[in-house]
Amino acid sequence: MTLFWIITAAMIVVALAFIVPSLWRKSVLRVSDRDKQNVVIARERLAELNNELAAGTLSDEEYEQTKLELEQTLLIDLEAGDEAAQAGGPGKAGMLTLLFSVLFVAVVTVSAYLYLGTPQLVDPAAMQAQQADQELPSIEEMMTALVDRLKENPEDAEGWYLLGRTYMAVKDYQKAAFAFDKLNQLVSDQPSIMLALADSLAMAAGGDMQGRPAELIRRAVDLAPQDQTALWLAGMVEDQAGNHARALEYWGRLKPMLADDLESTQQVDRLMAAAQRKLTAAGPGEAEQKTAAALPTGQAITAHITLAAELAARVQPEESLFVYARALQGPKMPLAAVRLKVSDLPATIQLNDGQAMVPGMNLSSFDQVVVGARISRSGNAIAASGDLLGEVSPVAVQGDVVVELVIDSVIP
C-alpha cells in the first residue's frame, strides 16, 4: 500500500511540473510588460517636449531640464523592474497563487480517486474480504435452489437433467437415479436419457447392470443402434449376463466408430479380449455360436464407391465415410453398414448379413434395399445438413449384387 501512495505522489509531482513553470513565467511576463509600458510613456512625453520646443513655448534650458528628469524617471522604473524579475519571481501574490495551485491539484486528485476509484484494492486484507463476500454459492446451495425450483415447476425437463448430472458429479447415485427417472417420464423414448438413468441405477447398485438398467440399455440400443454410448453399455450388459458372444458383437460394431480415439479403441480391445477369453473358457457351444454370428451369411452386395469430381474440393481425407444398406420399405436403420474414411476412396466393399445392426434385421430379410454412401462432415453416424450423399435404389437382394455408387449430392 505504501508503494501505491509513493507512485501517486510521484504522478502528482509530474502533473505539477507542467503547471508551475507556466505560473512562474506569467509573473515574469507581467514585469516585462510594465517596462514596455514605461518606455512607451517616456517616448510620448519626449515627443511632446520636442513639439513644445519647436513651438517656442519651452526654452532650451527648460527642455534640457525636463528631458533629464524624464530619462532619470524611466531609468529608475526599469531598474525596479529588473530587481523584481531577479528576485525570482512571482512575488508574494504569485507565491500564494502557486502554493494554492499545488495544494489544489494534490487535494483534488486524491479526493477524486477516493470517491471514484477503488482504494480498497490496494489493501490486501480489504481485497481478500471483498473476494470472500463475492464468492459463488456452494454446490449444496445451488442444488437446494434447483430442487426448490423443480418443486414449483415439476415439468421442467432441463432442470431435472441438470439436477441428475449434478448428483452424479457428487456421487449421490440414488438421487441422480430419481432425477433421471423423473426426466425419463417427461421425455419418453430418448436414448440418451435412458442411458443416463441406467448408468445411475447401475452405479447405485455397485456397478450391477442387470435388471432395469439392462432393460433400459437394450431399449436404447434398439432406438439408436449406432449410438456409441449405447453400444458400449450394451456390450457390458451382455458381458455381465454371460452373453459374451453378444457383447463381442456390440463392441465389434463400436470399435470402427472410435478410429480417431486411440485411448477408447485400446479400452474396447481390452474388453473384447477379456470377453473372448470368457467365451473360450465357456466351451465350444457358445464359441461356435459366436463364430457363426460373425461370419457373412445369406445375401451380399458389393459396392464400388467413388466421389464426383466436382465435390472433391469440399471434403478432407480424414472425414468419415459411411456405406450402408437399408430397407426400401420399412425401418430406416441400416441392415448393414461399414465405416471408412474419404482417403479410402475409391473403394470397393461388401455389405452382408454379418454386418447387421440388430438380430433378425439383415439383408436376407428384405427383397429390395437402398444402398448409399455418405460423407459425414461432423463424423456423426446420423445424417446432417452439409453431408455429401450418394444412393442407389431399388437394389434387388438376390445372389451376388454389384452396385456402382457415386457420391454426387449435398444434403440441404
Side-chain angles (χ1 to χ4, degrees), residues 17 33 71 92 99 102 173 184 204 220 233 242 244 249 254 295 306 316 370 373 379 403-404:
D33 291 342
E71 290 175 347
K92 185 175 182 181
L99 180 60
V102 171
Y173 303 120
N184 188 51
L233 293 177
H244 307 302
E249 181 184 344
L254 171 65
L295 291 174
T306 57
Q316 299 296 327
V370 177
V403 175
E404 294 295 333

Side-chain angles (χ1 to χ4, degrees), residues 77-97:
D77 290 339
L78 292 177
E79 288 178 350
D82 290 341
E83 290 176 359
Q86 292 173 2
K92 185 175 182 181
M95 286 299 295
L96 289 175
T97 302

Side-chain angles (χ1 to χ4, degrees), residues 364-386:
S364 300
S365 303
F366 295 86
D367 295 328
Q368 291 182 319
V369 297
V370 177
V371 179
R374 181 176 58 84
I375 296 175
S376 172
R377 315 309 303 275
S378 64
N380 198 316
I382 299 175
S385 176

Side-chain angles (χ1 to χ4, degrees), residues 305-318:
I305 309 106
T306 57
L307 175 64
E310 62 270 19
L311 297 179
R314 303 185 60 163
V315 298
Q316 299 296 327
E318 67 276 5

Side-chain angles (χ1 to χ4, degrees), residues 209-242:
M209 307 182 75
Q210 300 309 303
R212 192 180 179 202
E215 295 175 4
L216 290 165
I217 292 169
R218 286 171 179 147
R219 173 63 177 159
V221 83
D222 286 342
L223 293 172
Q226 293 183 326
D227 185 283
Q228 296 182 16
T229 303
L231 290 171
W232 192 299
L233 293 177
M236 297 181 68
V237 164
E238 302 302 338
D239 190 54
Q240 281 191 3

Side-chain angles (χ1 to χ4, degrees), residues 225-226 323-327 331-337 355-358 361:
Q226 293 183 326
V323 185
Y324 57 86
R326 60 178 175 83
K332 298 300 182 182
M333 70 180 63
L335 305 173
Q355 298 159 347
M357 300 289 100
V358 178
M361 294 287 291

